[in-house]
Amino acid sequence: MSRESDIRLGTGEAPVAPPQTPKKINWAWLGVIPFFLFAIFFLFLPSATIFIRSFEAPDGSFTFENIISLFTKADIVNAYQASLSISVITALAGAIFGFLLAYAVVLGGLPAGIRTFLTTFSGVASNFAGVPLAFAFIATMGNAGLVTRWMETVLGFDIHATGFTIYNIWGLSIVYMYFQFPLMVLIMAPALDGLRREWREACENLGGSTAHYWRYVAFPILMPTLLGTMILLFGNAFGAYATAYAFAGSFINLVTILIGAQIQGDVLFNPGLGNALALGMIVIMLISMIGYAYMQRRAARWTR
Amino acid sequence: MTTSEKRPMSRRDFLKLSMAAGFSAWLASCAPKAAETGELPVTMSMDDLVAGATKEGELTTIALPHDWANYGEIIETFKSKYNMKVNELDPNAGSADELAAIEANKESRGPQAPDVVDIGVGHTANAMTKGLLGAYKVSTWDSIEMKDPDGYWWAEYYGVLAFEVSKPAIENTPQDWEDLLKPEYKGKVAMAGAVDKSNEAVQTVMAAGLSRSGGDIEKAPEMGLQFWKEMNDAGNFIPVIADIGPISQGETPLAIQWDYLGLANRDKLAGNPEIEVVVPKTGVIAGPYAGGISAYAPHPYAARLWWEFVMSDEGQNLYLKGYAHPIRFNDMASRGVVPQEMLDRLPPAENYAKATFLTVEQLQVANKYIVENWRKVVLGEG
Amino acid sequence: MRDRPPIAPTATVKAIVETPVKTWKRVRKFNLWSWIILGIGLIYFFLPLLATFEFSLRAIKGRYSLEAYRIAFSDPAFFRSFGLSMLWAILTIIITLLLVLPTAYWVHLRLPRLRPAVEFVTLMPFVVPAVVLVFGFIRMYGRYTFMVSIPILLIAGYIVLSLPYMFRAVDAGLRAIDVRTLTEAAQSLGASWPTIIFRVIFPNLRVAILSGVFLTFAIVMGEFTFANLLVWPAFGPYMELLGAKEAYAPQALAVVSFLLTWGSIGLLARIGRGAPGQGQIAGAR
C-alpha cells in the first residue's frame, strides 16, 4: 500500500542512529502514537477499500483493467494533466501573491489592525469553496455578472462579444485562488514573524542591499515553510471538486470530477475505476511528497 | 535534520503497517452477508402491511427533495395517513449515492440505511446485479407500464425534457431543438448537470439526437453529440450547471430540465424572473424514475406500505400535482380519476403523446456511447 | 538613529550615517507597495462577495430588498444547525490540537526521520475522496451504535479533514522559533517537561496555532459530505438543502454565514491573543 512504499523512500544512505538515551525515545514516541493510531483507524483503514476496490470490475470480479485504463484512456490521461496543471499553477501563483500579501501586512509597514483583518478574513475565505464560490464568480464575471453588466452600462464595452469566457481552466484557476491566497497568508504570516529584525539590520550593517537580504538570509530561512505551504496549496487544489463542478462541470475534465462521476453519478457506475482514479491521485501525491521531502532536506540543511 | 532523516522507517512503523495490511486483508475477505432471513412475500394484504408498519413506526427515505415531483406533499400525506415517522436522508443524493447507501449499511441497519429508493431506470441493472433490492408487487401492479417482471423495481413517474426559458432575458421562446442553434441564444443555453455525472444531461444529448434522427433511437446518440458540438462551436452552450441559482441570477436563461422541475421552478420564482416551460416539438424523451425496496431495509413493512401508497391513485395524483406524469397515467385517465384542474396545469397533452420511452438496455447503450464520446466530439479533445 | 553627532566622515562612518535615511526611504517604498498589494487583494476578495450580496438583494422583482435575509433568518433550523456546527468545530479544534501539537513538536525536536510519515498522513486527506472515507467509516464502525448515536465518526472525519492545515500551521510556527535552543535553555534552567511545553514553547506558537484554529473552524462550519452521509444536522447540509429548494435565500445565507464565521474567528483571535503585552519571546518583530 502507499504507506509501505513510503518506508523505502528517502533512504539512500546507511542508517545512522542519532545519539539518544532510551528514556527520551520513549517520551517522544508516546507523543506521536496517538497521532498515528488516529491516522490508522480513521484514515488508512477506512481508505483501504480504495486500494482493494481499484481491482474490482463492475461485475465484482478481479481485474487490472482499471489501473491500465489510467494510462491508456485519453479522457483519464487528460484529466490527470488538467488536474496537475491547475494544481501547480494555483500553487505557484497562490504562493507568490499570498506571500506578497502576507509580507505586506506583517512586514510592509501597514497598520496592525489590517493584519488581524486579513488573517481573520483568510480564515473564512480559505474555506469558501464549492457552489457558493462558483456562484460568486459567475455572478461577478459571468455573462450576466455584476462586472460584465457594469462594463456594458458604464464603459459601453461588451467583454463577451470578443469571445472572452471565464469557463475554462484559466477562469477556474482564478476561482481557485480565492482559497489559495488566504491559505498562504495564514501559514506564512507567523513564519514571517520569525524573521528577526536583527538579521535585517546585521545584513545592512555589513553593506548588504535588500536583494542580498532576501537572497541570502530571508528566503533560505523561509524556504522550508514556503515549500511546505506550496505542497499544501498543491494538495488543496488537486483534491478540489465541488467548485470545479458547479463552475464548468461539463467542460473541465479533472480527476476529482471523474471520480465523482463514477462513484456518485447518475449515469456511470464503475466504482472500481473511481477507486483506481483515487489511487492514482494518492500515488501522485506520494511522488510530489518525495520531491518535496528532498527539497525540504536541502533547504533545511543549513539551519541545523 | 541531516542523515538521520534518511533512515528507513523504524520497526514500530513497520508493525503498524503490517497491522494495517492485515486489517485490510480481513476487510477484503468480508463477503457481503446473505439477504435478510424471513423475506416477506411478493404480495401482501393492506391490513398486514399497516399492522406491521405501525409496529415499526418509521420509514427511512433517501434522495427525495420536497420540491421534486411534489415529494414534500407525498411524504407529509403518508405521515399523517398512516401515523408514521419518516426519516429523510440526503435529499440531494444521486442514484449511485442511494445504492451506495444501501450497500454501505448492509450490516448496520441504523438510521443511515434507506428503506426505499427512487433511482434512474438506468441504475436498476446495477442494483439488481448487486442484489440490493427486495421484490414486491403492489396491488396496482398490473397497470404499471414499466417494471421488472419479478417485482424488483417499477417506474413511478416520468417527465419529459423541456426548455426552461427565463423572460425577459430570452425574447423569442424556442420551440424545438434546432431553434437553440440560433445566434440570438449565444452564451445562454445550459444543461442541468455534467454529461458524465447527470442522467438529465445525458438525456438532453439523447433528446436532441432523437429530434435530428427523426425518432431513430440507434442513430440518436451520435446525432445528439453532433448537435451539441454545433452548439458549443457556435458559443451558444455554456458549461454552467443550470440550477435554480444560476437560472434566477440570469446566467443560464435557457436551461434544459425535466418539465416538472422547470414548472416547479416557475412556481417557486413567482415571476422573479418569469419562467416559461416549453416541451420541444420533436425529440421528446421521457425520463422515468424507478422505485424499489432495499433488500436490507430496517423497516420492511413500512417500505412496502409506502409503495402501496405511492403507487395508488391517491399517490399518483400527488405526483401529477407536482407536474410529473404518474406512470399509471393512462390507466387512471381512462377510468376518469384524474382531476381536470390538474390536467389543465400541465403543458398541452399532445407533446407528451410523442414521448419516447427507452428500455433499460437502450438507455445503457445510449448512455455509454454519449459519455464515452462527449469530450471527443463536442469539446474536440483527443 | 537619525540624531547622530557630526563626525569626520570616514567611509564606514558615512555608511553608518547614510543607513538610517536609506532604511527610512525603503520603509516608505514598501509602504506604497504594501498598500497596492493590499488593494489588489481586497478588490479580488470582495468583488465576488459583493456580487453575491447584490444578487441576494434581488429577491423582490424590480427593487432591492432584504426579503431573502428575512426568509433565511425566519428558519429556526438555521440557528440550530449553525450552533451545532460551532460546537463541533470547537471539539474538533481541541482534539486536533491535542493530536498535532505533540506530534509536530516531537518530530521537530527528536524524531526528524518520522517527518516523511507524518507529512504523508497530513497530505492524504486531500486525495482520499470524502465520500470514500465516510463509507469506509460506516462499513467499519457503523455496527457499533455508540459510534452512530454520538457524533464520534463525524468529529473524526472533521479531524481528518483539518489535519493538513493544522499540522502545516504548527510546523511553520515551530520553524519560526528556535525550538531546540528554547528547549535546551529551559531544561538547563531546570524546567520540567510540562513547564517547557506549556510555558515556554506554546506561548511562542500562539500565532501559528491560531492560524490552524481559524482554518479548522472554517472547515468544520462549511463541511458537507460527512455531516450529510452520517446524517447529522450540521450547517453544511442545511445550506445545501436551502440551496436546492430556494432562490435568493441561499445567497443571502452565504453572505450571512461568511460574516458570522468571520466574526467567530475574530472572537477566537481575541481570545487567543490573551492578555495584552504578552508578546512572543522568540521570533518577535
Side-chain angles (χ1 to χ4, degrees), chain A residues 3-4 7 10-11 13 15 17 36 45 74-75 138-139 142-144 167 241 245 250-251 253 261 264-267 269, chain B residues 3 6-8 14 16 23 95-97 123 126 187 193-194 196-199 232 237 239-241 249-251 374-375:
Chain A
R3 274 207 81 196
E4 191 168 33
I7 292 181
T11 61
E13 294 160 44
F36 281 109
L45 286 182
D75 257 7
I138 293 174
N143 296 334
Y167 301 120
Y241 160 67
Y245 184 78
S250 288
F251 277 14
N253 191 20
Q264 275 191 299
D266 258 340
V267 184
F269 194 62
Chain B
T3 54
K6 296 188 197 153
R7 198 177 161 156
F14 195 81
K16 289 181 202 163
F23 239 113
S95 301
D97 293 320
H123 274 259
N126 273 328
D196 56 358
K197 187 165 194 251
S198 155
N199 183 43
N232 188 31
F237 174 41
V240 179
I241 309 289
Q249 188 259 341
E251 189 71 11
W374 168 260
R375 303 203 78 84

Side-chain angles (χ1 to χ4, degrees), chain B residues 139-152:
Chain B
S139 43
T140 53
W141 183 253
D142 297 322
S143 55
I144 297 178
E145 300 192 9
M146 191 177 194
K147 60 202 177 200
D148 169 67
D150 299 318
Y152 283 99

Side-chain angles (χ1 to χ4, degrees), chain C residues 8-280:
Chain C
T10 60
T12 18
V13 175
K14 257 217 170 93
I16 296 173
V17 170
E18 262 159 88
T19 310
V21 178
K22 268 202 275 187
T23 318
W24 181 70
K25 262 209 205 132
R26 221 175 277 124
V27 170
R28 271 283 299 270
K29 192 172 143 193
F30 277 139
N31 248 337
L32 180 63
W33 272 117
S34 301
W35 284 107
I36 292 178
I37 302 267
L38 184 71
I40 298 176
L42 287 179
I43 293 179
Y44 173 80
F45 284 128
F46 280 96
L47 257 184
L49 288 176
L50 191 66
T52 310
F53 178 65
E54 191 266 347
F55 174 73
S56 70
L57 293 177
R58 292 200 252 152
I60 297 187
K61 191 167 183 170
R63 62 183 175 90
Y64 285 144
S65 70
L66 292 175
E67 178 66 12
Y69 290 90
R70 192 191 59 79
I71 297 179
F73 277 122
S74 62
D75 190 356
F78 164 60
F79 300 101
R80 223 181 310 138
S81 56
F82 196 84
L84 271 176
S85 280
M86 269 186 73
L87 176 68
W88 289 328
I90 306 225
L91 267 174
T92 308
I93 289 172
I94 295 175
I95 304 180
T96 313
L97 278 174
L98 285 175
L99 280 177
V100 169
L101 279 170
T103 310
Y105 178 67
W106 290 120
V107 164
H108 212 82
L109 203 60
R110 296 232 178 278
L111 302 166
R113 64 203 169 149
L114 268 188
R115 178 168 281 276
V118 173
E119 299 230 351
F120 183 70
V121 168
T122 61
L123 289 174
M124 270 277 279
F126 284 134
V127 287
V128 175
V131 195
V132 172
L133 202 58
V134 177
F135 280 131
F137 279 4
I138 296 180
R139 253 187 286 260
M140 279 183 69
Y141 306 114
R143 67 199 76 190
Y144 309 110
T145 31
F146 78 93
M147 288 276 215
V148 171
S149 48
I150 29 178
I152 292 184
L153 291 178
L154 182 68
I155 305 280
Y158 286 159
I159 297 174
V160 170
L161 289 176
S162 26
L163 273 180
Y165 307 93
M166 190 63 95
F167 177 78
R168 192 58 60 194
V170 172
D171 188 55
L174 282 169
R175 281 192 203 277
I177 67 181
D178 193 346
V179 189
R180 207 169 278 268
T181 312
L182 275 176
T183 312
E184 284 169 7
Q187 275 179 318
S188 69
L189 286 169
S192 63
W193 276 112
T195 312
I196 297 178
I197 292 184
F198 291 110
R199 296 185 59 193
V200 177
I201 304 290
F202 284 5
N204 285 295
L205 281 181
R206 205 182 19 227
V207 179
I209 291 179
L210 272 182
S211 291
V213 167
F214 295 171
L215 289 167
T216 308
F217 186 82
I219 288 172
V220 175
M221 288 311 291
E223 204 283 332
F224 170 69
T225 313
F226 279 90
N228 190 29
L229 290 170
L230 291 171
V231 195
W232 289 103
F235 193 58
Y238 174 76
M239 291 269 281
E240 274 288 310
L241 207 61
L242 203 73
K245 60 177 182 167
E246 291 289 334
Y248 303 101
Q251 284 74 21
L253 205 57
V255 172
V256 168
S257 81
F258 196 99
L259 292 173
L260 275 176
T261 311
W262 192 1
S264 312
I265 289 185
L267 246 149
L268 282 170
R270 181 140 295 182
I271 297 174
R273 205 126 288 166
Q278 203 178 0
Q280 287 178 286

